[in-house]
Amino acid sequence: MANKQDIITAIKNLDVFLKIPDLKGAKPRLNSNGSPFAFAGGFNMVFQLVHNAKKWAFRVWHVPMGENKDRYVAISKYLTNSKLPYFADFIYDENGLLVNGELTDTIRMEWLDGILLKDYIEKHLNEKAKLEALANNFLEMTKTLREAKISHGDLQEGNILVDDSGKIRLVDYDSICIPEIEGQKELVTGLKGYQHPSRFKAGKASLKADYFSELVIYLSILALSENSNLWNKYQVKDTAYLLFTETDFEDFANSEIYNDLQKLSNSIKSLTRILNSYLSENNYLNLTSFEHYLKAPKIINFGSNEKEVLKGKDIELSWNIENYDKISINNGIGNVTGKHSLFVSPTNTTTYKLIAENAFDKTENELTVTVLPLPKIKEFRSKQQKIEFGKETQLVWDIENAEKVELHWLGNMEIIPNKGEKTISPTDHTNYKLIVTALDGVTKEEKQITIQVFKRVEIKSFVSDLDFVVETLPVKLSWEIDNASSVTLSSNLQADIEVTGKREIEILPKRTAIFYLKANNELFSLTSSQIKIEVQNIPTFNPSIIPRLPSGKDLIPSFELDFKGLSETILNESQISFQTAMKPTKRFNILNSLQKILK
């Protein structure tokens, strides 16, 4: 392989050693000492040739190219076919130069005019509009390269030229990746202040190689456009960096530049947040182009658990949004950033507007929730709530805002209109329940009434075991009553006695009295016939008229009386007209009373 001096000698004598017909007559740019103007690198030397007033960067290798020859040939063809304005003409010429008797492949690339990116920034440091335009042009270039499936691979201020109009051109194509090259070994990994830390461990060409450096450059230009003092603070002119160093990337959220950027606009904060998320990723191949995040927020969905809701009921609004800085909802709700759902209670049909914003754009979406009126049971009654057994009455109802109305009773169910009447004839106390389904088809309201059924009170019997007694003797009254809920025993001599649930009672009348029953239920009442109990007072004896007798019980004769015989004798002997004057029952009662006393 030719050495550097042999290459310089060949360049001095292009008329003899240049073997590219398209460059016939080209002349090298010379230094003041007559030697060719050259940039010497570790693998090749670059000269400036002038041909028909067009300048070329002419590259000649002083070390073997090996397998990289195919790489450069592929890049040359791809860039020529893509015809992107960001690249200079890039032509690979086989056997382009004869060096020390040996034909050597060369690459010629259009020599571009312009100044380096960092010099352009310094020149317009206090011209915010110029730097913003530069940032926009750079962003447009990154989009175009991605669409064309090209990554430069070594984006940094030394490989970016900017002309006076702000037009950007790229130089140094050794690190370019195209689909045909992706996955091959990388020749260049770039400068550390522009590359993701994992880039230096990957070792393979990737179309994603520019994602990190694109963001670093774009963010740096915009930050300097907002605060030009950052240029001097971080000594940008005298370093190989813009605003970031590899040390900053080690703990970015705690770095000084991070804190300075947080004092700038929302767009700068958003870009800084993206850069921080990039650095949290362990492998740069997993990154997504930051341009993806510069789009308007994306509302993936915005909905509610119910599209129709009853007035006063809660519903849940929920949403899923990408790429946002702020989320808000109108109708007085306001900022809901950081939330994914919210409960609201609309009183009228309402349209909710969800607004998602970031530093670059905003997106809106609307959701209408229909508010349905609550069901209203205006009326549900029976014309009579208490009816006689075997009779009829009518249920009456009037319902508003109901999807369905059901009438339930005794295990039965009937769908009824929202307003109407129904004739009923229950045979016993019966509950009637109205179940109203609201317009939402879910919510239910209920109301229940009870119709009471009563049979007429019936007093089947009311008797006493005695109707003529002597004082202090008990009398038993008994009765049989149907369909009564309460029974009281009344008389002309004493307060009423509650006898509900009883069938008999013993009384001790002190004088002749009249007794009767009052039986009733909630609909009917009935009074029994009267029972008269005659009471005979016991005669009072005067001790003074009793003859004095000897003391001592032995002096008192003992004897037995045959009351049965006595009664018969009394009845047989008609010394008095008692038999004809007294009824048989009374005679019997008197005898009984006498027997009780004598016993």
Side-chain angles (χ1 to χ4, degrees):
M1 191 69 184
N3 59 36
K4 294 179 182 180
Q5 188 56 49
D6 291 336
I7 293 174
I8 292 174
T9 299
I11 294 298
K12 283 182 178 181
N13 300 282
L14 289 179
D15 292 342
V16 177
F17 299 115
L18 185 61
K19 302 302 179 182
I20 303 173
D22 291 345
L23 290 182
K24 186 176 181 180
K27 300 297 183 181
R29 174 186 172 184
L30 300 177
N31 292 322
S32 57
N33 60 7
S35 298
F37 179 83
F39 296 97
F43 302 99
N44 53 63
M45 301 180 72
V46 179
F47 303 89
Q48 187 183 91
L49 304 185
V50 180
H51 179 258
N52 294 334
K54 184 174 183 178
K55 298 177 183 178
W56 293 90
F58 190 71
R59 182 182 296 184
V60 183
W61 270 261
H62 56 78
V63 296
M65 291 182 63
E67 60 184 17
N68 292 326
K69 174 181 177 179
D70 294 336
R71 182 193 195 99
Y72 285 111
V73 171
I75 293 173
S76 175
K77 290 180 179 180
Y78 198 88
L79 294 183
T80 299
N81 292 333
S82 67
K83 297 179 181 180
L84 297 181
Y86 307 106
F87 296 99
D89 291 338
F90 182 77
I91 303 171
Y92 188 94
D93 293 305
E94 293 189 27
N95 302 323
L97 185 67
L98 182 65
V99 180
N100 195 21
E102 183 178 346
L103 289 171
T104 301
D105 295 346
T106 61
I107 290 177
R108 54 188 162 110
M109 187 171 69
E110 179 184 3
W111 190 278
L112 301 175
D113 291 323
I115 60 177
L116 293 176
L117 174 66
K118 190 183 290 187
D119 295 333
Y120 184 90
I121 293 173
E122 182 181 25
K123 181 178 179 180
H124 301 286
L125 191 58
N126 295 308
E127 299 177 66
K128 181 177 174 63
K130 282 272 188 181
L131 293 186
E132 286 180 343
L134 174 65
N136 289 334
N137 289 341
F138 180 80
L139 180 61
E140 187 62 32
M141 180 193 73
T142 63
K143 294 179 183 178
T144 303
L145 292 186
R146 279 191 295 279
E147 291 171 358
K149 296 186 177 179
I150 300 172
S151 70
H152 182 275
D154 188 16
L155 287 180
Q156 39 106 341
E157 58 93 15
N159 288 334
I160 301 173
L161 300 177
V162 186
D163 65 16
D164 290 338
S165 66
K167 183 180 180 180
I168 297 174
R169 306 294 292 275
L170 298 177
V171 298
D172 192 350
Y173 304 157
D174 291 342
S175 55
I176 279 181
C177 179
I178 57 177
E180 185 178 339
I181 294 174
E182 190 169 26
Q184 294 182 14
K185 183 179 179 181
E186 284 191 311
L187 298 181
V188 179
T189 54
L191 296 180
K192 290 185 176 181
Y194 297 85
Q195 299 297 328
H196 191 279
S198 67
R199 173 84 188 276
F200 305 101
K201 303 174 185 178
K204 293 184 178 180
S206 171
L207 294 175
K208 294 186 175 184
D210 290 340
Y211 287 1
F212 189 85
S213 52
E214 287 171 356
L215 177 55
V216 165
I217 294 169
Y218 181 74
L219 174 56
S220 296
I221 297 172
L222 284 181
L224 289 166
S225 76
E226 291 190 18
N227 184 3
S228 60
N229 294 327
L230 297 175
W231 178 271
N232 291 326
K233 179 175 181 177
Y234 292 100
Q235 302 177 343
V236 176
K237 181 177 181 178
D238 301 324
T239 67
Y241 308 106
L242 282 175
L243 290 179
F244 305 97
T245 69
E246 65 271 24
T247 303
D248 294 328
F249 297 154
E250 292 174 1
D251 188 10
F252 183 54
N254 292 313
S255 66
E256 187 175 3
I257 183 60
Y258 180 91
N259 292 329
D260 283 341
L261 295 178
Q262 294 305 301
K263 301 172 185 177
L264 302 181
S265 66
N266 287 335
S267 60
I268 296 297
K269 292 177 183 177
S270 295
L271 293 168
T272 305
R273 186 179 66 248
I274 297 170
L275 182 58
N276 192 45
S277 69
Y278 274 12
L279 289 166
S280 67
E281 177 58 57
N282 293 326
N283 190 338
Y284 80 99
L285 295 176
N286 294 330
L287 301 181
T288 300
S289 167
F290 84 94
E291 183 266 335
H292 168 78
Y293 300 101
L294 303 187
K295 298 177 182 178
K298 182 178 180 181
I299 299 177
I300 299 174
N301 59 60
F302 177 41
S304 64
N305 59 331
E306 298 288 346
K307 291 295 180 67
E308 294 183 336
V309 61
L310 290 178
K311 184 177 180 179
K313 302 291 184 180
D314 287 343
I315 61 168
E316 184 180 20
L317 303 179
S318 59
W319 53 87
N320 187 9
I321 305 175
E322 290 181 348
N323 193 31
Y324 68 88
D325 291 328
K326 179 183 176 182
I327 305 173
S328 60
I329 299 177
N330 68 343
N331 296 314
I333 296 175
N335 194 334
V336 291
T337 305
K339 298 181 180 180
H340 299 285
S341 63
L342 178 73
F343 283 95
V344 295
S345 182
T347 56
N348 298 293
T349 296
T350 304
T351 297
Y352 295 95
K353 180 185 290 185
L354 180 71
I355 305 169
E357 302 176 71
N358 60 24
F360 312 101
D361 207 343
K362 71 177 181 179
T363 304
E364 298 178 353
N365 203 343
E366 291 185 346
L367 171 68
T368 298
V369 176
T370 301
V371 176
L372 304 171
L374 290 168
K376 183 177 181 181
I377 301 177
K378 295 176 63 178
E379 182 181 27
F380 180 44
R381 63 182 177 83
S382 173
K383 290 185 176 180
Q384 295 85 32
Q385 294 216 248
K386 300 175 182 180
I387 64 172
E388 182 180 353
F389 178 82
K391 301 294 185 178
E392 294 180 342
T393 188
Q394 287 76 40
L395 295 178
V396 181
W397 63 88
D398 186 4
I399 316 298
E400 287 185 350
N401 310 320
E403 180 183 86
K404 183 173 66 173
V405 181
E406 301 172 10
L407 180 63
H408 293 254
W409 75 100
L410 298 176
N412 301 303
M413 189 278 285
E414 179 182 345
I415 303 296
I416 58 177
N418 287 10
K419 184 175 182 179
E421 292 186 2
K422 180 181 177 65
T423 299
I424 58 173
S425 181
T427 58
D428 202 349
H429 294 349
T430 303
N431 294 326
Y432 290 87
K433 180 187 290 185
L434 208 61
I435 300 180
V436 178
T437 302
L439 294 175
D440 63 355
V442 177
T443 305
K444 297 183 185 298
E445 295 231 355
E446 299 181 1
K447 186 174 182 180
Q448 180 174 291
I449 60 175
T450 300
I451 310 301
Q452 295 177 295
V453 179
F454 299 95
K455 294 181 179 179
R456 291 182 177 273
V457 176
E458 183 179 359
I459 301 178
K460 292 184 175 182
S461 65
F462 178 43
V463 298
S464 67
D465 63 341
L466 298 172
D467 55 11
F468 186 93
V469 295
V470 295
E471 186 179 358
T472 74
L473 288 181
V475 175
K476 181 166 69 175
L477 301 177
S478 60
W479 56 87
E480 184 178 354
I481 301 175
D482 287 342
N483 309 321
S485 57
S486 67
V487 181
T488 57
L489 177 65
S490 300
S491 75
N492 61 333
L493 297 179
Q494 60 188 40
D496 290 351
I497 301 174
E498 174 67 34
V499 292
T500 303
K502 298 179 180 180
R503 297 177 64 87
E504 60 183 33
I505 187 171
E506 281 194 348
I507 58 175
L508 293 170
K510 294 183 178 181
R511 60 182 183 272
T512 299
I514 295 173
F515 294 90
Y516 58 95
L517 294 173
K518 293 187 290 187
N520 58 72
N521 56 33
E522 293 186 43
L523 200 59
F524 301 103
S525 63
L526 186 63
T527 301
S528 71
S529 60
Q530 297 180 349
I531 295 178
K532 183 176 181 181
I533 306 297
E534 295 186 9
V535 178
Q536 180 66 45
N537 293 333
I538 300 174
T540 302
F541 293 97
N542 188 344
S544 62
I545 65 173
I546 299 175
R548 181 177 301 272
L549 298 174
S551 60
K553 65 178 181 178
D554 292 337
L555 297 178
I556 300 175
S558 62
F559 56 88
E560 292 183 359
L561 292 178
D562 182 357
F563 284 100
K564 182 176 180 183
L566 177 61
S567 64
E568 290 176 352
T569 302
I570 294 172
L571 291 176
N572 289 333
E573 295 179 359
S574 302
Q575 287 102 348
I576 60 176
S577 58
F578 198 71
Q579 187 172 14
T580 58
M582 187 177 295
K583 294 180 182 179
T585 302
K586 289 186 176 181
R587 292 199 304 272
F588 179 76
N589 287 340
I590 292 173
L591 290 174
N592 283 345
S593 298
L594 290 172
Q595 288 176 355
K596 290 178 181 179
I597 293 172
L598 293 173
K599 285 180 179 180

